[in-house]
Structure formats: structure tokens, C-alpha cells
Amino acid sequence: VYSEDEIYTSTFLGMYNRMLRKVKASSSFEFLHHNNFNKFRTFIKMCAGYNTLSGFLSKMTDYEKKMLFQRLVQGIENANDNLSSAVTIADTYGSIKSASEKQMFEEAILAYYEEIRYTDPEAEKLYSLILSVFEIGGQSTSTMAFNDQTVSLKILPIDRIYKEGKNIQQHFFFDDPDGKASYAHFLGTFRNGNWRIIDKGTYILIKSVRGMAVEIYANKPTTEYAGQDAIKAHFAETQRWPDVVVHRGHSYFASAAIESLTPNAEIVFLGSCGGYNNISQVLKYSPNAQIISSKQIGTMMVNDRLALELNEVIRKGQDIVWDNLWYTLDRKFAAGTTADKRFKDYIPPHKNLGALLIKTYRSML
């Protein structure tokens, strides 16, 4: 919990599994209590982000779950970063799969909302927004603002990512065995009559040859730094920055892609393990971006299919309807395969509760 931004997905999952084995004989609530609930919101947020929350809650009685949810939702208006705490609540709620646990969570936050709604105007505004995100209440102003954001994220009009006669993308690859394998597989998906691959030395340029003009810039993993620098220099020279940015690599490489973002980015695809945890950082650099992320382990089998299908929609000049794209992708992966299981952890922009909360909150300021 003291290295939330630095910890690798594999490290967190490994430590989490070791911890869970040690608390097998007792409840996970007792584990939190024994540690005086130190930074427990951060830990719960990380469990939600790495899709391990259900397992953690399964080691509690119903009474303990109610106690935990009450602690989690109460008093965030007094936190140093109350929006971050609100996102933790949204992410947690979105990760709860059990209907009975969702009901307990809703009861906890509704009860606290009733306590503060007439005594603390700022707290009322924040909690009303959370209730709107959960679609279980809230004032009309926050509900309307949330509904506007949800509608705006369901469909991305093509003109937002097709500017000055073309769509520009940057894909980041990294110099390790996984990066080299992902890069080779990625190139293979574009070896068809709709695309042309041009070698630029330290990077490659993939251009559409039919339909709308699309240019995809991707550094070679073997020239990771030189390739990324060359692409950046090209964008700076042309003063045309990417509309779509895709991170392809482990979570500890994500900062390279995120820190390259500009307000021009309309789609950010975090194809890395645990990419879900980087949402707030992405929105700091690209406030209007629609974000695709994974809640656990990213895989090239899903990433490459998703990238290709997305680019086919763009090449054809169609608006991006995320529900339709997800439906198409779901049919591409054979039931029960690793890709099919991993794809279920990928979150489209309009279903990311944390991002929705941040965007709605900012729209209400």
C-alpha cells in the first residue's frame, strides 16, 4: 500500500496470494483490524484494480462485510484527496460481483448519505455524485451530469479522432522478451490488403491503403528509446499529436506512454497488466480521453485483436460504438480459451466507474 504507483502486477498478485494463505484460518476482516485498518482504502482499491476483491471478501462473514463497507464509505469528505477516495469507492463497487454484497454496500453508503445530506453541503454534493454513479439515488443535478457523461462515452464520433484529414496513433513497445513477442504478433495482424507497413529504421509506420487515412507509429522494441524519441520528434516537427495512444508492455512501463500524452489524445488503450489503476493519471494529461483498460492480466491475444478491430472501425470512417465493438470482440474469442477469459477483464470507456466519476465531478465544478 506504500508503493501503489510502483508495484508490478505480478508482485501484487504474488504478495496477495501469500498473504491470503497466511490468513486462511482467520477472516480477512480480522487481518485488517489487526493492522489497525492502516491505509485499508488503498489496499481495497488495489484489490479492486487487480480483480482480487471477491476473494478477499469471501473470507469475511456478512457482519464483517457490513462493518468494512461502513468504514470504507464514511468520512471521505474529510480526506486530503476526497476525489481519490470517492474513486476508490466507485472502483470497489464496480468490482463487487455478488448481488448480496452490492446490496450491503449500497445500504452502507445510502445510510451515510442520509446522515450528512442536510448538514454538510460539500459532502452532500460528493456523495450525491457517488450515488448517481451507482444509479441508486443522488440529486437531480449530479444524476443529470453523470447521465450526460455516460451517454458521451458510449459512442465516440469519428470526427473526434479524424483530424486534418487523418487519424494518428502511437503504439509503445518495450525491449524485453514479452515486448518483442507482442511486437511481432502485432505486425502480423496488419499484414493484409488494407494496410501497408513502412520501415523507418527505429520505428515502423503502418498506413491504411483503403478507406480513411490512418497512420500508426510504433517503435521497434529493440530500439525502444531511439524509436520513441524519433516518433516524438516527428510529432513535434509536424505539430500533429496522436489521437490514439496504445501502451503495450508490463505495468511498470506504463509511465512512458502516460507521460507522453497530450490533450489531443481521444482514445488511450492501456493494454498492460493492471492498466485500470492508471486511470486518474491518464485523465490528468488527456482530460477528454476515452480509456480502455484491463483489471488484471493484459495479453497480446486480446490486445492485438482489439487494436485491429478498433482500427478497422476507424478505417471505415464509422463512429466507435463501444458496446458493438465489445460484442464483436466477444464473438472472436472461442469460449473457454485463455483469450476469452482475459477479455472479460477488459473495461470499455463507458463502464469504467472511476473514470466516469472523475469526468462527472470535473464537469460539475
Side-chain angles (χ1 to χ4, degrees), residues 87-151:
V87 170
T88 296
I89 291 176
D91 288 347
T92 301
Y93 181 78
S95 296
I96 295 175
K97 297 179 173 63
S98 162
S100 61
E101 289 171 358
K102 272 192 181 296
Q103 184 177 346
M104 292 179 203
F105 200 99
E106 292 169 1
E107 289 172 352
I109 197 165
L110 283 167
Y112 189 67
Y113 176 68
E114 289 302 321
E115 282 185 33
I116 55 86
R117 66 181 301 187
Y118 299 115
T119 59
D120 189 331
E122 287 304 310
E124 191 280 331
K125 183 189 298 183
L126 184 61
Y127 280 93
S128 176
L129 173 56
I130 296 171
L131 293 177
S132 297
V133 171
F134 293 176
E135 299 181 355
I136 58 172
Q139 296 297 319
S140 59
T141 51
S142 59
T143 300
M144 287 175 61
F146 169 72
N147 289 339
D148 288 345
Q149 284 295 330
T150 303
V151 170

Side-chain angles (χ1 to χ4, degrees), residues 13 56 151 167 218-219 224 240 313 359:
L13 293 175
F56 190 71
V151 170
N167 170 261
N219 65 280
E224 174 187 330
R240 179 68 166 85
V313 174
K359 284 174 172 282

Side-chain angles (χ1 to χ4, degrees), residues 40-41 44 68-74 76 89 92 105:
F40 80 100
R41 281 198 181 100
I44 294 298
L68 173 64
F69 294 156
Q70 288 172 11
R71 277 182 170 269
L72 189 68
V73 305
Q74 292 180 5
I76 65 168
I89 291 176
T92 301
F105 200 99

